[in-house]
């Protein structure tokens, strides 16, 4: 989440902006109420700021910010003017897109600097694959989430369907897409806590960890999908299709994965960049189709790979854990695995 400072000595104005941003742009900003210039300086020095909102007359304060934090982005608002709400939201969306792009460039740089493999991405891949299968034992789920340090109660699946390029084989297309994988994997972490599957054929599944805030989850999921879609289009020039499942308890995320696969297949069939299971349900009701009663082509393609990949990843994971434990030596905190 990006840090957004609202600089205002009027509590009513802060409350208005907080309600507007939380309702219309959920899950993107961590909000801070800055009531004085001294407080602003202290917070910028201690926490840093990504975006500041000022009243239209705060040019002196904005100069101070530029001196303290040159890269911070500033948005001006007219206090109490309802007509400025949409302009403010448009400005914030533009700032988020630019911040996302900067984040992606820094991620790509870090990837180039550090190509080493660790047990964390392997654990993520294994957990994601097991969540895509029919069931996952409670003990195995607990073991993997403990390694990741990821407390998890509810979540949802998002499937990324990359295009099949004409004139090359599916195998060649898969190899072409693997160069996107690390960048996309890292960027999804900026959108929220999640685990990602390996690239399978031309598909990648992301399982997001969410809290039980049911009122804003749907909008937050769409905003995440929109940011990912725009970024991939801008950075790689590739048009993707995103399928979004509904929120489920973690041990029922297989259902959310299936919904995401159905939605992605529906989106590809109808040239829709982002599709939810609700979109599919509405279309099925209008056209009296069987979209929800059949396996999708995506599930059918990936199912044979899941079991094999899960077995191979588990073997590699156990070997990596054994090696890690051997390097550290036995201790009371050693990871246990079966």
């Amino acid at each position: 989440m990006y840090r957004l400072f609202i600089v205002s000595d009027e509590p009513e104005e802060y409350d208005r902006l907080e309600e507007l941003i939380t309702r219309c742009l959920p899950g993107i900003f961590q909000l801070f109420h800055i009531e004085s210039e001294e407080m602003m300086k202290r917070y910028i020095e201690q926490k840093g700021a990504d975006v500041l909102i000022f009243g239209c007359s705060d040019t002196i304060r904005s100069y101070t910010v530029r001196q303290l934090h040159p890269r911070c982005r500033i948005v001006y608002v007219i206090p109490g003017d309802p007509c400025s709400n949409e302009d403010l939201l448009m400005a914030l969306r533009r700032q988020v897109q630019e911040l996302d792009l900067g984040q992606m460039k820094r991620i790509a740089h870090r990837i180039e600097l550090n190509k080493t493999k660790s047990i964390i991405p392997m654990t993520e891949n294994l957990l994601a694959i097991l969540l895509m299968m029919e069931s996952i034992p409670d003990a195995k789920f607990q073991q993997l989430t403990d390694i990741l340090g990821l407390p998890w109660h509810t979540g949802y699946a998002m499937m990324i369907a990359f295009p099949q390029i004409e004139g090359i084989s599916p195998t060649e297309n898969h190899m072409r897409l693997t160069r996107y994988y690390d960048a996309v994997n890292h960027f999804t972490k900026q959108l929220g806590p999640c685990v990602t599957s390996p690239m399978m054929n031309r598909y990648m599944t992301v399982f997001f960890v969410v809290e039980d805030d049911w009122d804003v989850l749907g909008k937050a999921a769409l905003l995440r999908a929109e940011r990912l879609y725009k970024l991939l289009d801008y950075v790689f020039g590739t048009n993707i299709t995103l399928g979004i499942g509904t929120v489920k308890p973690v041990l029922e995320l297989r259902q959310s994965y299936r919904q995401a696969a159905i939605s992605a297949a529906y989106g590809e069939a109808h040239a829709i960049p982002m599709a939810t299971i609700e979109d599919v349900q509405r279309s099925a009701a209008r056209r009296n189709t069987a979209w929800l009663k059949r396996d999708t082509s995506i599930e059918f393609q990936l199912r044979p790979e899941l079991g094999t990949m899960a077995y191979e990843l588990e073997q590699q994971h156990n070997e990596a854990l054994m090696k890690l434990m051997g390097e550290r030596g036995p201790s009371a905190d050693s990871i246990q695995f079966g």
Side-chain angles (χ1 to χ4, degrees):
M1 296 177 76
Y2 295 121
R3 290 179 295 276
L4 190 154
F5 291 4
I6 299 176
V7 182
S8 173
D9 54 8
E10 299 179 11
E12 296 83 2
E13 179 67 7
Y14 173 79
D15 291 343
R16 180 181 78 83
L17 293 173
E18 180 187 41
E19 190 278 331
L20 176 70
I21 295 167
T22 302
R23 174 169 49 85
C24 297
L25 300 172
I28 295 178
F29 293 110
Q30 181 183 11
L31 301 180
F32 298 87
H33 184 193
I34 307 299
E35 299 176 329
S36 66
E37 185 164 344
E38 181 183 346
M39 182 179 180
M40 179 184 72
K41 290 179 180 178
R42 186 173 70 253
Y43 269 52
I44 289 176
E45 290 172 350
Q46 292 176 354
K47 301 177 181 295
D50 297 303
V51 181
L52 276 89
I53 293 180
F54 282 116
C56 60
S57 60
D58 279 326
T59 52
I60 296 176
R61 284 181 177 176
S62 65
Y63 176 77
T64 303
V65 171
R66 295 295 186 202
Q67 297 297 108
L68 290 171
H69 197 345
R71 290 196 304 174
C72 183
R73 297 163 183 276
I74 296 175
V75 176
Y76 295 98
V77 298
I78 302 172
D81 182 0
C83 298
S84 68
N85 285 354
E86 192 53 41
D87 290 337
L88 172 63
L89 293 173
M90 287 178 61
L92 288 176
R93 290 189 182 100
R94 187 165 57 250
Q95 302 301 331
V96 168
Q97 192 168 357
E98 292 175 2
L99 286 165
D100 285 348
L101 181 59
Q103 192 80 261
M104 192 65 150
K105 288 179 178 177
R106 288 189 291 275
I107 287 168
H109 181 64
R110 288 200 300 269
I111 291 170
E112 286 301 314
L113 291 176
N114 180 17
K115 293 285 189 180
T116 59
K117 296 289 183 183
S118 75
I119 197 164
I120 297 301
M122 191 187 302
T123 304
E124 281 192 29
N125 284 174
L126 177 57
L127 178 56
I129 288 291
L130 293 176
L131 289 171
M132 294 163 70
M133 299 178 71
E134 291 299 330
S135 63
I136 174 172
D138 290 359
K140 174 59 69 175
F141 175 81
Q142 190 64 51
Q143 177 206 21
L144 297 177
T145 52
D146 284 349
I147 292 172
L148 296 173
L150 193 66
W152 199 351
H153 303 290
T154 53
Y156 69 92
M158 179 189 295
M159 176 169 279
I160 307 170
F162 291 89
Q164 170 63 49
I165 303 301
E166 293 183 8
I168 64 175
S169 70
T171 301
E172 291 172 315
N173 193 56
H174 174 82
M175 294 177 65
R176 180 186 70 88
L177 293 175
T178 54
R179 73 176 188 268
Y180 300 156
Y181 179 82
D182 283 343
V184 174
N185 181 31
H186 282 73
F187 182 70
T188 55
K189 303 296 188 296
Q190 310 303 316
L191 299 177
C194 61
V195 297
T196 55
S197 76
M199 184 75 76
M200 301 179 67
N201 193 333
R202 58 186 180 89
Y203 304 102
M204 180 176 172
T205 302
V206 185
F207 291 95
F208 282 101
V209 181
V210 296
E211 302 297 333
D212 295 331
D213 189 353
W214 299 95
D215 292 335
V216 298
L217 283 178
K219 184 175 289 186
L222 287 172
L223 284 170
R224 282 173 173 163
E226 182 181 4
R227 290 168 67 188
L228 183 59
Y229 177 84
K230 287 182 177 178
L231 194 78
L232 285 171
D233 181 41
Y234 187 89
V235 175
F236 297 116
T238 185
N239 293 320
I240 60 171
T241 302
L242 295 170
I244 306 167
T246 57
V247 176
K248 298 288 183 184
V250 285
L251 296 181
E252 298 176 20
L253 278 175
R254 156 73 184 169
Q255 297 177 37
S256 187
Y257 158 69
R258 185 170 187 275
Q259 292 173 342
I262 291 171
S263 301
Y266 172 82
E268 287 195 303
H270 295 85
I272 300 171
M274 295 179 291
T276 66
I277 197 65
E278 289 82 3
D279 296 328
V280 179
Q281 290 168 334
R282 283 192 293 269
S283 177
R286 285 197 308 270
R287 304 183 185 189
N288 193 27
T289 59
W291 268 99
L292 303 178
K293 299 178 182 178
R294 66 186 185 193
D295 287 344
T296 69
S297 57
I298 296 175
E299 275 195 290
F300 185 76
Q301 289 177 53
L302 300 186
R303 188 176 295 143
E305 293 185 50
L306 285 175
T308 302
M309 189 169 287
Y311 176 79
E312 292 175 353
L313 274 172
E314 188 143 19
Q315 294 300 309
Q316 295 168 13
H317 191 256
N318 285 344
E319 289 172 8
L321 282 177
M322 290 285 288
K323 182 178 179 182
L324 186 64
M325 292 169 66
E327 290 173 354
R328 291 182 176 178
S331 74
D333 297 325
S334 295
I335 299 169
Q336 301 297 316
F337 58 94

